[in-house]
Amino acid sequence: MSQSVKRAARIIDAIAADPRTVAELAEAFELHRSTMFRELQALEEVGWVRRRASGRYTLGTRLAALSKEALDSLDLREAGAEHVRRLQRRTGNTVHLAALMDRSIVYVDKAEDESGVRMYSRIGRAVIPNCSAVGKAILADLDRAGRDAVLAGVTWERYTELTITTRERLDRELALVRSRGWAADDREFEDFVNCIAVPIRSSLGIVGALSVTAIRMVADLDRLRAHLPAMRETADAIARELG
């Protein structure tokens, strides 16, 4: 039973990263196709996976509901909610709150820019750690093993000309982030957006990060850096809420 549960979890992880067919999953897990099909049928019955018309399996709606419940129960989101909105009103820019969850960095809260400009980010979505300010702010506080775990699934895709696409270059950037205490996304994911972030540390160590994001023509990095004192104050306040 324990092995079956672990395998089901690994199957869910696999199709979350890349929807796959029964044959592809059977090959990846070294199982007979009929065995994998039965595994997927069971997961489909409880709503954890669903089969697309193409024959590929992807995450089911039940997992979406569970993910919302998990996010709602996160201490960091609860502790930061009021502070995130206060910082958004103070800066006028979009504010994100991201949490370190096992081997992933996930957006857990967001207060939108008053101008009505909408960012790509969504609550519950995993952060791309090598080209996001919150990702780098958290990675800079982790030891080598922690970084390796978070970066294990990174594809090092180039989104813009400024995207960091190698581990060596990222490690150099993280050394700078750690020394100065804040991170930046300078047009690394979208060439018209920039962002700065600061870490949030509890008594247990790094738990997340807080960022301020803006359209570059509205506020460049120099203007965003002016918010660093308020951001650090907010991060400290959230940390105190966490105890």
Side-chain angles (χ1 to χ4, degrees):
M1 179 62 70
S2 175
Q3 290 178 344
S4 296
V5 171
K6 289 179 180 178
R7 186 164 63 205
R10 289 172 56 216
I11 291 170
I12 290 169
D13 284 343
I15 65 174
D18 182 22
R20 304 186 201 185
T21 64
V22 173
E24 290 168 342
L25 287 164
E27 181 180 357
F29 286 84
E30 298 181 348
L31 293 174
H32 193 278
R33 289 190 187 187
S34 61
T35 303
M36 178 55 71
F37 182 67
R38 286 195 298 272
E39 293 269 3
L40 291 167
Q41 273 190 317
L43 291 170
E44 190 172 18
E45 285 176 10
V46 296
W48 287 10
V49 305
R50 61 185 176 87
R51 186 177 182 273
R52 292 178 174 175
S54 64
R56 293 183 178 275
Y57 284 84
T58 188
L59 297 184
T61 54
R62 177 59 183 154
L63 277 182
L66 288 174
S67 68
K68 183 181 183 304
E69 292 171 13
L71 287 170
D72 287 342
S73 69
L74 282 176
D75 289 342
L76 182 60
R77 187 183 187 193
E78 182 179 353
E82 182 180 338
H83 300 290
V84 164
R85 278 143 192 84
R86 185 179 298 122
L87 181 63
Q88 194 284 320
R89 291 192 296 269
R90 188 170 174 181
T91 64
N93 301 119
T94 296
V95 177
H96 291 98
L97 185 64
L100 177 62
M101 300 174 65
D102 192 17
R103 294 173 296 171
S104 299
I105 299 170
V106 177
Y107 291 114
V108 295
D109 204 359
K110 176 182 181 180
E112 292 279 12
D113 183 340
E114 293 174 344
S115 69
V117 176
R118 294 292 181 264
M119 303 294 173
Y120 75 94
S121 55
R122 285 204 311 264
I123 296 173
R125 173 179 284 179
V127 173
I128 304 173
N130 57 300
C131 58
S132 63
V134 288
K136 288 187 278 187
I138 292 172
L139 286 171
D141 250 59
L142 296 176
D143 59 18
R144 184 80 184 185
R147 288 184 191 178
D148 289 346
V150 173
L151 294 171
V154 170
T155 59
W156 303 101
E157 182 177 347
R158 183 179 296 280
Y159 297 98
T160 74
E161 292 182 356
L162 297 174
T163 304
I164 294 175
T165 56
T166 67
R167 177 63 184 270
E168 182 182 5
R169 185 181 162 203
L170 178 61
D171 283 339
R172 290 199 302 269
E173 174 83 0
L174 296 179
L176 174 62
V177 170
R178 188 170 179 84
S179 66
R180 71 187 180 189
W182 58 275
D185 163 10
D186 185 9
R187 298 166 288 162
E188 295 169 43
F189 182 73
E190 294 176 306
D191 57 14
F192 57 92
V193 173
N194 48 208
C195 178
I196 60 172
V198 296
I200 300 172
R201 303 180 183 95
S202 74
S203 57
L204 299 176
I206 185 73
V207 294
L210 179 78
S211 71
V212 171
T213 306
I215 302 300
R216 187 162 54 92
M217 292 184 65
V218 175
D220 60 17
L221 278 183
D222 286 335
R223 286 190 63 183
L224 291 183
R225 278 197 294 266
H227 299 312
L228 279 170
M231 292 175 66
R232 290 187 173 117
E233 179 183 317
T234 302
D236 289 343
I238 294 172
R240 285 195 297 273
E241 293 273 358
L242 290 170

